[in-house]
């Protein structure tokens, strides 16, 4: 049985040496799979959204614009723009991070995030292997009523335990949970390319990467039937609640 779904965490090849698919490939594949919406969330960038927007208009798929961020202390999150103002807020934060580091990199701290005015943005917390309640509490202060815990189940041996731990964390912090896919490619067949990109990024021969590689090819746009067999229905339904709050389109931008 398939379930309505919107993918909220998706990297394209504009996340340099990470994403293995072009933005337009991701949009077209999401439309083929019957997704309700797709968020393009490249790392500290919105460079790929123009191509994604053009393809989304062609096929009629709602597109969400956001960005994945990793703070200097390791805290990970995805920020999603809900409006034109939210898009400007997100771009301002990205600019701040890029200006604070050398070309091709960025640096953002908790202070930067706390000082940023992101009232028209939503956020997904990307917990680490051992979720830290302090991270969630900090983000809840930055995004009051606009924060979710991203649950990314990728057929790891501890998926059931992780889901249970994140549900407990959600109860403890009073935060809702939402399904997400940490997508790096539009089809599983791009895994070999994604592995190669990782080797180039880490400047390490492919045969020596070991655990630095993803353990499987699950970080692709999966069918809704498959997702329904992995995620509880409430987490899939929550993706629609998040998507429905994101109304911004690049069509709103005009020269001023």
């Amino acid at each position: 049985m398939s379930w309505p779904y919107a993918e909220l965490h998706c990297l394209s090849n504009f996340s340099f040496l990470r994403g293995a698919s072009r933005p337009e490939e991701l949009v077209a594949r999401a439309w083929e799979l019957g997704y309700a919406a797709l968020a393009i969330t490249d790392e500290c960038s919105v460079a790929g959204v123009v191509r994604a927007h053009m393809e989304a208009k062609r096929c009629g798929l709602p597109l969400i614009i956001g960005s994945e961020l990793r703070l200097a202390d390791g805290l990970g999150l995805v920020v999603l723009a809900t409006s034109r103002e939210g898009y400007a807020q997100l771009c301002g934060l990205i600019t701040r991070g890029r200006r604070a580091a050398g070309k091709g990199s960025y640096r953002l701290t908790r202070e930067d995030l706390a000082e940023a005015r992101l009232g028209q943005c939503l956020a997904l917390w990307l917990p680490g292997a051992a979720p830290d309640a302090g991270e969630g509490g900090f983000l809840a202060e930055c995004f009051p009523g606009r924060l979710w815990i991203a649950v990314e189940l990728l057929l790891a041996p501890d998926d059931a335990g992780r889901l249970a731990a994140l549900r407990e964390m959600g109860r403890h912090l009073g935060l809702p949970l939402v399904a997400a896919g940490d997508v790096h490619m539009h089809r599983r067949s791009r895994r070999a390319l994604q592995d190669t990109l990782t080797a180039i990024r880490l400047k390490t021969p492919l045969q020596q990467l070991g655990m630095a590689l993803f353990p499987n090819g699950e970080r692709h746009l999966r069918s809704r039937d498959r997702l329904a067999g992995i995620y509880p229905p409430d987490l899939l339904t929550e993706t629609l609640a998040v998507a429905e709050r994101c109304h911004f389109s690049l069509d709103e931008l005009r020269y001023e």
Side-chain angles (χ1 to χ4, degrees):
M1 175 182 177
S2 62
W3 206 271
Y5 179 72
E7 181 55 64
L8 304 174
H9 184 199
C10 179
L11 306 183
S12 78
N13 63 341
F14 281 82
S15 290
F16 187 55
L17 297 180
R18 292 186 63 201
S21 295
R22 298 189 301 274
E24 55 269 37
E25 290 178 316
L26 292 160
V27 171
R29 181 59 176 162
W31 177 79
E32 290 174 4
L33 294 171
Y35 282 21
L38 175 71
I40 296 294
T41 59
D42 284 309
E43 186 175 9
C44 199
S45 173
V46 291
V49 299
V50 174
R51 294 186 181 186
H53 171 70
M54 294 173 63
E55 181 63 24
K57 286 188 67 175
R58 187 193 68 79
C59 65
L61 178 74
L63 178 68
I64 302 169
I65 296 176
S67 184
E68 177 196 286
L69 302 169
R70 185 72 57 179
L71 302 188
D73 64 357
L75 191 159
L77 70 155
V78 169
V79 179
L80 305 173
T82 65
S83 63
R84 180 176 177 177
E85 183 181 355
Y87 178 70
Q89 293 168 353
L90 174 59
C91 290
L93 181 62
I94 290 171
T95 300
R96 182 170 183 167
R98 292 293 182 182
R99 285 179 172 175
K103 184 176 180 180
S105 60
Y106 69 98
R107 187 178 191 278
L108 288 168
T109 66
R110 293 197 185 197
E111 290 73 21
D112 292 325
L113 195 63
E115 292 172 3
R117 297 181 178 180
L118 300 171
Q120 292 297 309
C121 294
L122 311 179
L124 311 182
W125 173 32
L126 306 175
D132 180 354
E135 290 185 352
F138 166 75
L139 290 176
E141 293 179 0
C142 295
F143 298 92
R146 294 175 285 115
L147 176 68
W148 285 258
I149 299 176
V151 180
E152 300 184 327
L153 303 180
L154 300 163
L155 299 190
D158 63 339
D159 273 358
R162 181 164 179 79
L163 174 59
L166 292 179
R167 282 204 186 277
E168 180 59 32
M169 183 67 72
R171 286 190 287 268
H172 174 68
L173 295 173
L175 295 175
L177 276 62
V178 66
D182 191 22
V183 172
H184 283 61
M185 49 200 145
H186 73 299
R187 291 182 182 272
R188 183 189 293 272
S189 58
R190 287 289 173 88
R191 183 186 176 187
L193 174 59
Q194 206 283 322
D195 287 350
T196 302
L197 294 174
T198 301
I200 296 170
R201 175 166 50 86
L202 299 180
K203 300 179 180 179
T204 304
L206 191 59
Q207 298 84 348
Q208 298 177 18
L209 282 173
M211 298 298 290
L213 295 175
F214 292 136
N216 56 40
E218 286 298 298
R219 285 174 171 81
H220 68 284
L221 291 171
R222 295 173 283 185
S223 72
R224 291 185 295 126
D225 284 344
R226 184 168 179 79
L227 290 167
I230 296 172
Y231 290 92
D234 60 307
L235 269 64
L236 297 173
T237 300
E238 194 66 19
T239 67
L240 306 182
V242 175
E244 287 169 359
R245 294 179 62 173
C246 298
H247 306 291
F248 173 68
S249 166
L250 289 183
D251 285 337
E252 298 177 41
L253 300 182
R254 297 289 185 275
Y255 177 76
E256 297 178 2

